[in-house]
Amino acid sequence: MTTTFETQRTALADVVAIPVTPFAEDGTIDQATHRALLRRLLDGGVRTLTPNGNTGEFYALTPRERQLVTEWTIDETGDRAVILVGVGHDVPTAVASARHAREQGAQMVMVHQPVHPYVSQSGWVDYHRAIAEAVPELGVVPYIRNAQLHGFRLAELADACPNVIGVKYAVPDAAKFAAFARDAGLDRFVWVAGLAEPYAPSYFSAGATGFTSGLVNVAPAVSLNMIEALRSGDFPAAMKVWEQIRRFEELRAANGSANNVTVVKEALASLGLCRRDVRPPSRQLPEDERAEVAAIAAGWSM
């Protein structure tokens, strides 16, 4: 019997939350706060969670910490959400992480864009195929940030691995996304706008049905308002949300997204929900920029 992955597909066509990883004063992961932030997302209506995503500081965590984040997320969530675990690095490490996710009860894995400086198109297929074939029971979602990748390569991957069911597409070019999705097979995959709320309206117009979000950590209702507007085809309403979140996302995107995670944690800190600490190569916001972030977050919490 062929697995259809319908539950996973439905979960991708939604707000795909990327939870932060809160740190304690001694620099370790604060498990109690981590669980509290997850409960806040779940209570806010979020139904798809990605532990070990970029907003969770994937590349700053140790292998054991990534395992713990996966385990705590699955344990805290239970059956309240579908879990899409971020995996990556070298092939053996990514495979081990994917198998660990499967053993813990996750339903999907997201494969981070390979960070090797030399990535061939066929090598991209080989990398993802090795991971997908190791966990045929899980839905697999490539995270694509490479503007040079051709859509037919994704189709080639899915021909070999039918558990490749969705794509987190994060190239900042709506026209390129539209072409890539149609070259790969628009109806074959669930397309997730991987650059979050700022790109969601334009990507939805081209075929995306879900979007990732770090902002959702701060204001779940804001992100859910956008997805509802997009689902109903009410683009003016979606753009009202876009206007509401614009400055926050501009702060995150500034200087090559240097403060992408920092701004989210600063907003959470201003609400008393976690410490503002981030790990290098990220860095805390300077004092004079914190007030603006706090003001935005306070406006959303009213």
Side-chain angles (χ1 to χ4, degrees), residues 201-218:
S202 60
Y203 277 56
F204 265 64
S205 70
T209 53
F211 63 82
T212 59
S213 181
L215 177 153
V216 73
N217 287 277
V218 183

Side-chain angles (χ1 to χ4, degrees), residues 39-52:
R39 288 193 297 273
R40 185 170 180 269
L41 286 167
L42 295 167
D43 292 345
V46 172
R47 293 295 173 261
T48 310
L49 298 174
T50 305
N52 295 323

Side-chain angles (χ1 to χ4, degrees), residues 48-237:
T48 310
L49 298 174
T50 305
N52 295 323
N54 281 341
T55 307
E57 297 179 73
F58 172 79
Y59 288 103
L61 302 180
T62 68
R64 180 53 183 155
E65 286 174 331
R66 294 195 298 271
Q67 287 184 334
L68 290 172
V69 166
T70 296
E71 292 167 10
W72 295 339
T73 301
I74 293 171
D75 179 66
E76 189 62 47
T77 300
D79 61 359
R80 299 181 67 187
V82 173
I83 305 300
L84 169 67
V85 177
V87 303
H89 297 288
D90 58 277
V91 169
T93 296
V95 166
S97 296
R99 287 173 171 161
H100 174 260
R102 178 184 61 191
E103 292 162 6
Q104 296 301 313
Q107 297 91 342
M108 293 185 285
V109 292
M110 177 194 75
V111 184
H112 281 272
Q113 172 73 31
V115 295
H116 195 286
Y118 312 117
V119 180
S120 70
Q121 302 242 349
S122 58
W124 182 93
V125 174
D126 293 341
Y127 177 81
H128 288 81
R129 180 171 181 170
I131 299 165
E133 288 182 340
V135 285
E137 310 91 343
L138 299 188
V140 173
V141 180
Y143 181 2
I144 297 177
R145 300 170 64 96
N146 182 357
Q148 306 307 313
L149 188 69
H150 297 301
F152 76 85
R153 292 296 189 178
L154 176 64
E156 178 185 339
L157 172 65
D159 286 343
C161 303
N163 57 329
V164 176
I165 59 170
V167 182
K168 177 179 176 179
Y169 195 82
V171 176
D173 184 330
K176 186 175 286 291
F177 163 64
F180 184 96
R182 283 152 181 80
D183 290 344
L186 183 62
D187 297 327
R188 186 175 187 181
F189 307 95
V190 180
W191 297 96
V192 181
L195 292 165
E197 287 87 349
Y199 284 83
S202 60
Y203 277 56
F204 265 64
S205 70
T209 53
F211 63 82
T212 59
S213 181
L215 177 153
V216 73
N217 287 277
V218 183
V222 173
S223 299
L224 292 172
N225 285 343
M226 177 170 274
I227 194 81
E228 288 305 320
L230 291 169
R231 283 172 173 166
S232 65
D234 190 344
F235 280 86

